[in-house]
Tab-separated table of all heavy atoms in Angstrom:
chain	number	residue	atom	x	y	z
A	1339	LEU	N	-63.112	-43.322	16.345
A	1339	LEU	CA	-64.308	-44.162	16.287
A	1339	LEU	C	-65.337	-43.587	15.314
A	1339	LEU	O	-66.127	-44.331	14.730
A	1339	LEU	CB	-64.928	-44.288	17.690
A	1339	LEU	CG	-64.121	-45.098	18.708
A	1339	LEU	CD1	-64.781	-45.023	20.078
A	1339	LEU	CD2	-64.003	-46.561	18.264
A	1340	GLU	N	-65.325	-42.262	15.140
A	1340	GLU	CA	-66.262	-41.636	14.210
A	1340	GLU	C	-65.955	-42.045	12.768
A	1340	GLU	O	-66.846	-42.068	11.922
A	1340	GLU	CB	-66.208	-40.119	14.342
A	1340	GLU	CG	-66.686	-39.596	15.688
A	1340	GLU	CD	-66.668	-38.081	15.737
A	1340	GLU	OE1	-66.786	-37.438	14.679
A	1340	GLU	OE2	-66.521	-37.527	16.843
A	1341	VAL	N	-64.682	-42.332	12.495
A	1341	VAL	CA	-64.305	-42.792	11.164
A	1341	VAL	C	-64.774	-44.234	10.966
A	1341	VAL	O	-65.158	-44.633	9.862
A	1341	VAL	CB	-62.777	-42.684	10.962
A	1341	VAL	CG1	-62.368	-43.196	9.587
A	1341	VAL	CG2	-62.330	-41.236	11.143
A	1342	VAL	N	-64.745	-45.020	12.049
A	1342	VAL	CA	-65.232	-46.405	11.980
A	1342	VAL	C	-66.713	-46.412	11.641
A	1342	VAL	O	-67.163	-47.120	10.738
A	1342	VAL	CB	-64.982	-47.130	13.313
A	1342	VAL	CG1	-65.561	-48.547	13.261
A	1342	VAL	CG2	-63.499	-47.175	13.644
A	1343	SER	N	-67.471	-45.583	12.381
A	1343	SER	CA	-68.914	-45.476	12.143
A	1343	SER	C	-69.432	-44.185	12.760
A	1343	SER	O	-69.105	-43.877	13.914
A	1343	SER	CB	-69.653	-46.677	12.747
A	1343	SER	OG	-71.056	-46.464	12.688
A	1344	PRO	N	-70.257	-43.425	12.029
A	1344	PRO	CA	-70.838	-42.198	12.592
A	1344	PRO	C	-71.683	-42.463	13.834
A	1344	PRO	O	-71.931	-41.551	14.637
A	1344	PRO	CB	-71.703	-41.658	11.439
A	1344	PRO	CG	-71.116	-42.257	10.202
A	1344	PRO	CD	-70.610	-43.610	10.619
A	1345	ASN	N	-72.126	-43.693	14.002
A	1345	ASN	CA	-72.957	-44.032	15.162
A	1345	ASN	C	-72.198	-43.905	16.478
A	1345	ASN	O	-72.810	-43.824	17.545
A	1345	ASN	CB	-73.488	-45.463	15.026
A	1345	ASN	CG	-74.419	-45.618	13.840
A	1345	ASN	OD1	-75.130	-44.688	13.473
A	1345	ASN	ND2	-74.415	-46.798	13.225
A	1346	PHE	N	-70.847	-43.897	16.400
A	1346	PHE	CA	-70.038	-43.796	17.618
A	1346	PHE	C	-69.866	-42.349	18.094
A	1346	PHE	O	-69.264	-42.117	19.141
A	1346	PHE	CB	-68.645	-44.397	17.383
A	1346	PHE	CG	-68.634	-45.894	17.346
A	1346	PHE	CD1	-68.197	-46.573	16.212
A	1346	PHE	CD2	-69.052	-46.634	18.436
A	1346	PHE	CE1	-68.174	-47.951	16.170
A	1346	PHE	CE2	-69.042	-48.019	18.404
A	1346	PHE	CZ	-68.598	-48.684	17.274
A	1347	LYS	N	-70.387	-41.387	17.329
A	1347	LYS	CA	-70.131	-39.978	17.635
A	1347	LYS	C	-70.567	-39.604	19.042
A	1347	LYS	O	-69.856	-38.891	19.764
A	1347	LYS	CB	-70.828	-39.082	16.611
A	1347	LYS	CG	-70.489	-37.612	16.771
A	1347	LYS	CD	-71.044	-36.779	15.621
A	1347	LYS	CE	-70.604	-35.320	15.761
A	1347	LYS	NZ	-71.088	-34.490	14.625
A	1348	LYS	N	-71.728	-40.071	19.464
A	1348	LYS	CA	-72.238	-39.717	20.787
A	1348	LYS	C	-71.425	-40.344	21.916
A	1348	LYS	O	-71.467	-39.867	23.056
A	1348	LYS	CB	-73.697	-40.147	20.921
A	1348	LYS	CG	-74.649	-39.375	20.023
A	1348	LYS	CD	-76.084	-39.813	20.243
A	1348	LYS	CE	-77.048	-39.005	19.346
A	1348	LYS	NZ	-78.459	-39.428	19.544
A	1349	ALA	N	-70.672	-41.392	21.604
A	1349	ALA	CA	-69.904	-42.082	22.639
A	1349	ALA	C	-68.515	-41.499	22.834
A	1349	ALA	O	-67.827	-41.840	23.803
A	1349	ALA	CB	-69.791	-43.566	22.302
A	1350	VAL	N	-68.071	-40.606	21.933
A	1350	VAL	CA	-66.694	-40.104	21.971
A	1350	VAL	C	-66.399	-39.351	23.258
A	1350	VAL	O	-65.419	-39.640	23.958
A	1350	VAL	CB	-66.409	-39.208	20.738
A	1350	VAL	CG1	-65.081	-38.467	20.917
A	1350	VAL	CG2	-66.367	-40.054	19.474
A	1351	ILE	N	-67.221	-38.366	23.601
A	1351	ILE	CA	-66.973	-37.554	24.799
A	1351	ILE	C	-67.059	-38.388	26.079
A	1351	ILE	O	-66.139	-38.340	26.918
A	1351	ILE	CB	-67.939	-36.355	24.868
A	1351	ILE	CG1	-67.738	-35.434	23.660
A	1351	ILE	CG2	-67.730	-35.574	26.172
A	1351	ILE	CD1	-66.373	-34.808	23.579
Side-chain angles (χ1 to χ4, degrees):
L1339 291 174
E1340 295 183 27
V1341 179
V1342 177
S1343 171
N1345 296 328
F1346 285 120
K1347 186 172 184 178
K1348 293 182 179 180
V1350 169
I1351 298 297

